[in-house]
Amino acid sequence: MAKTKSKTIYTCQNCGAQRPRWEGKCSECNAWNSYVEEIFTDINPTQTRGWSVDTQKPVRLNENPKEDILKRFDTGIEEFNRVVGGGIPEGGFLLLGGSPGIGKSTLLLQIAGGLAIKNLNVLYITAEESTNQTKSRAHRLGIKSANVEIGSESELNKIIQLARESKPDVLVIDSIQTVFLSQLESAPGSVSQVRECASNLMSLAKQFGIAVILVGHITKDGSIAGPKVLEHMVDCVLSFEGDSQSHFRLLKTIKNRFGGCLELGIFQMSHRGLEEVSNPSELFLQERGQKPVGSVVFSSLEGQRTLLCEIQALSLNSHLPLPRRTSVGIELNRLHMLTAVLEKHAHIHVNQSDIYINVVGGLKISEPAADLAITAAIISSEKDKPIDMKSCFFGEVGLTGEIRGVMLPEIRVKEAIKLGFKNFYLPGGQKNQIEIPKNKDLNFYFLNHIKEINNLI
Ligand SMILES: [Zn+2]
């Protein structure tokens, strides 16, 4: 039998760097006081990691045997299917991150229920609650299928044993921070535990073709707790976000080896659990007032889907030596830049104004295509003139005041037309990329410079 040696090492809990000595400041990631003493037992790698060593022949790209097509499990929840790229891939290794209490377990239980309806077996391991707690929670959500097994276990070897016995199609681990390997002496949730447990689960996923979904908690600064290594190991990183005050929940892809990134799924929390929002634009626009000053609709693109959202601006005379700029849902630096462009190139004097920007519904917009909508909202508020309710804006604003093209303008326009929008303000350079429907009610304003929008409002 192979001898095991144990030695003390220090591991940075932030980046996973390992040092023989304690360091006050991590020399890898510059985090302060992040090193924790861990007893490291040198386990023979073949004992824990059951990698199959079948050598596989390289494949030519023009060979396309049918069995190569990735098999996916339909969860019955369309929003989730789309975000992961068309269903959970067989043998996939997924990580779902989110802050506590946001509804990760609820979402996964509903997914388990959906899979069970399609006759797939799910083993749901809860390391945080008892079996009965999780079971009664599942019953409240209306999930009673025999295809879903709930297990309460936190020792990883036992979990793997359970998975090998019941051979589920999907294994859920709730959460990766609470499971541990008894061979390692460090505490659950520490970097070595998380890394080692994840790598064992990965080999389980690949070897037996079980799709494994890990639940990961999020630290105060919003990153998934545990080493970055975890994010590198998994095939797909999903983040479940939302304000605990609001009932909207957003599911985003951060990384996806099996599909597109930047997808967005929208859910609404209700007494029956999470409900899919399949027409989010209507939902986000339903509470718009009549003739609102400083309110503009932006046609945004999230992954493959367009989403119409309302951007509000409030501009008023400042009594402060340095006017206040506040933004919710867009980056503050972007707002500073846009106000500077407005001042210089559109001659809108916002130097002495406090400006507040809000994206309705708790959405966060990161694409620069929102620039035109934001500037229009500011101009509307500054001039105290409402913008027609049926107007929709998109376009990037450059530092010289030029309006630049955005990705997929045609799709953005189509979605807005579907929802009854009639006036479109969009980049002039993209005129020939858009096929204007023959409907005479529609007005298209192709803009090349920011001062043109000033004249139109
Ligand atoms: Zn570090």
Side-chain angles (χ1 to χ4, degrees):
M1 204 184 140
K3 277 185 188 170
T4 53
K5 280 187 285 181
S6 64
K7 56 186 175 188
T8 305
I9 50 155
Y10 294 88
T11 311
C12 171
Q13 300 297 307
N14 190 43
C15 70
Q18 296 185 319
R19 298 283 180 270
R21 260 172 233 98
W22 187 81
E23 282 180 12
K25 183 185 178 191
C26 175
S27 48
E28 287 286 327
C29 69
N30 296 330
W32 286 95
N33 203 13
S34 61
Y35 277 82
V36 167
E37 180 182 344
E38 290 182 350
I39 314 280
F40 186 76
T41 314
D42 212 3
I43 316 157
N44 188 352
T46 49
Q47 277 184 330
T48 50
R49 284 174 216 182
W51 283 110
S52 61
V53 273
D54 299 344
T55 44
Q56 278 196 347
K57 266 192 189 165
V59 185
R60 288 187 199 283
L61 281 177
N62 60 354
E63 295 170 11
N64 190 14
K66 272 196 182 136
E67 55 268 29
D68 274 8
I69 296 164
L70 191 67
K71 198 174 146 194
R72 289 180 184 270
F73 303 135
D74 180 6
T75 63
I77 299 174
E78 275 314 308
E79 290 291 289
F80 185 84
N81 284 350
R82 193 169 38 78
V83 168
V84 293
I88 301 172
E90 187 184 33
F93 195 35
L94 288 78
L95 174 64
L96 175 71
S99 31
I102 204 83
K104 297 186 292 291
S105 307
T106 307
L107 177 68
L108 288 172
L109 279 173
Q110 285 182 272
I111 287 168
L115 290 164
I117 292 170
K118 311 270 172 187
N119 259 329
L120 294 159
N121 294 312
V122 182
L123 176 59
Y124 191 106
I125 299 291
T126 163
E128 295 182 356
E129 288 181 329
S130 71
T131 335
N132 277 339
Q133 276 174 315
T134 311
K135 204 173 134 190
S136 65
R137 194 207 289 242
H139 282 184
R140 275 202 303 276
L141 296 166
I143 304 157
K144 289 176 181 169
S145 172
N147 293 344
V148 183
E149 284 181 284
I150 308 278
S152 177
E153 185 53 70
S154 49
E155 209 284 313
L156 193 79
N157 292 319
K158 289 183 190 156
I159 294 173
I160 290 180
Q161 188 62 35
L162 285 176
R164 283 183 172 172
E165 279 164 17
S166 70
K167 293 199 178 61
D169 296 296
V170 178
L171 168 69
V172 177
I173 306 285
D174 189 2
S175 67
I176 185 68
Q177 275 94 10
T178 43
V179 297
F180 65 96
L181 260 175
S182 49
Q183 292 100 313
L184 297 177
E185 287 177 43
S186 41
S190 67
V191 171
S192 351
Q193 282 287 5
V194 169
R195 185 167 44 199
E196 213 50 44
C197 290
S199 88
N200 277 280
L201 287 164
M202 178 167 71
S203 42
L204 179 81
K206 303 300 168 198
Q207 210 177 355
F208 294 92
I210 300 173
V212 177
I213 306 178
L214 307 177
V215 172
H217 292 307
I218 264 180
T219 56
K220 268 179 236 153
D221 61 353
S223 60
I224 293 165
K228 274 277 165 209
V229 191
L230 188 58
E231 287 179 41
H232 296 311
M233 264 185 218
V234 296
D235 300 315
C236 178
V237 181
L238 302 170
S239 137
F240 201 43
E241 298 167 11
D243 216 328
S244 48
Q245 310 300 320
S246 106
H247 50 272
F248 290 118
R249 297 288 184 271
L250 309 176
L251 183 70
K252 290 181 186 167
T253 14
I254 295 171
K255 164 190 171 176
N256 194 356
R257 281 188 192 140
F258 304 118
C261 234
L262 302 169
E263 280 293 344
L264 177 72
I266 300 174
F267 296 88
Q268 209 174 357
M269 193 57 114
S270 76
H271 62 283
R272 277 167 299 181
L274 291 158
E275 284 173 15
E276 298 178 69
V277 178
S278 42
N279 51 353
S281 302
E282 282 174 29
L283 193 80
F284 285 127
L285 298 178
Q286 69 187 4
E287 284 168 52
R288 280 187 89 198
Q290 289 296 319
K291 291 226 164 196
V293 169
S295 155
V296 157
V297 171
F298 164 55
S299 185
S300 76
L301 200 65
E302 298 281 352
Q304 295 168 20
R305 180 164 70 177
T306 40
L307 180 65
L308 269 73
C309 54
E310 181 184 352
I311 296 180
Q312 299 177 332
L314 178 65
S315 152
L316 68 166
N317 262 341
S318 181
H319 300 292
L320 301 165
L322 198 68
R324 188 189 289 269
R325 302 273 190 265
T326 305
S327 77
V328 178
I330 68 156
E331 212 195 322
L332 190 60
N333 281 337
R334 201 85 203 159
L335 175 60
H336 286 310
M337 196 200 92
L338 291 173
T339 50
V341 173
L342 276 176
E343 183 83 35
K344 173 92 179 171
H345 296 290
H347 308 293
I348 301 279
H349 300 295
V350 286
N351 256 351
Q352 298 303 316
S353 312
D354 288 340
I355 294 176
Y356 304 87
I357 297 284
N358 179 35
V359 181
V360 177
L363 291 171
K364 286 189 180 65
I365 295 174
S366 52
E367 52 167 1
D371 292 354
L372 189 62
I374 299 165
T375 49
I378 296 173
I379 296 171
S380 160
S381 179
E382 186 70 29
K383 290 187 172 176
D384 217 6
K385 271 189 184 171
I387 290 175
D388 188 88
M389 290 282 288
K390 299 279 175 212
S391 304
C392 171
F393 293 73
F394 59 85
E396 183 180 342
V397 175
L399 282 183
T400 60
E402 85 278 20
I403 292 167
R404 297 163 159 266
V406 299
M407 269 185 12
L408 304 173
E410 176 104 46
I411 296 181
R412 296 177 201 256
V413 169
K414 271 191 186 147
E415 171 78 10
I417 292 176
K418 225 191 310 175
L419 289 164
F421 282 82
K422 301 209 180 303
N423 308 313
F424 297 90
Y425 298 82
L426 54 170
Q430 293 188 308
K431 201 169 185 169
N432 47 15
Q433 290 180 35
I434 291 165
E435 201 185 318
I436 298 174
K438 301 231 160 63
N439 194 334
K440 278 181 191 118
D441 286 353
L442 303 176
N443 304 310
F444 282 80
Y445 302 94
F446 290 98
L447 311 168
N448 293 310
H449 196 271
I450 191 79
K451 64 185 176 220
E452 295 168 40
I453 185 90
N454 187 15
N455 300 333
L456 285 167
I457 293 169

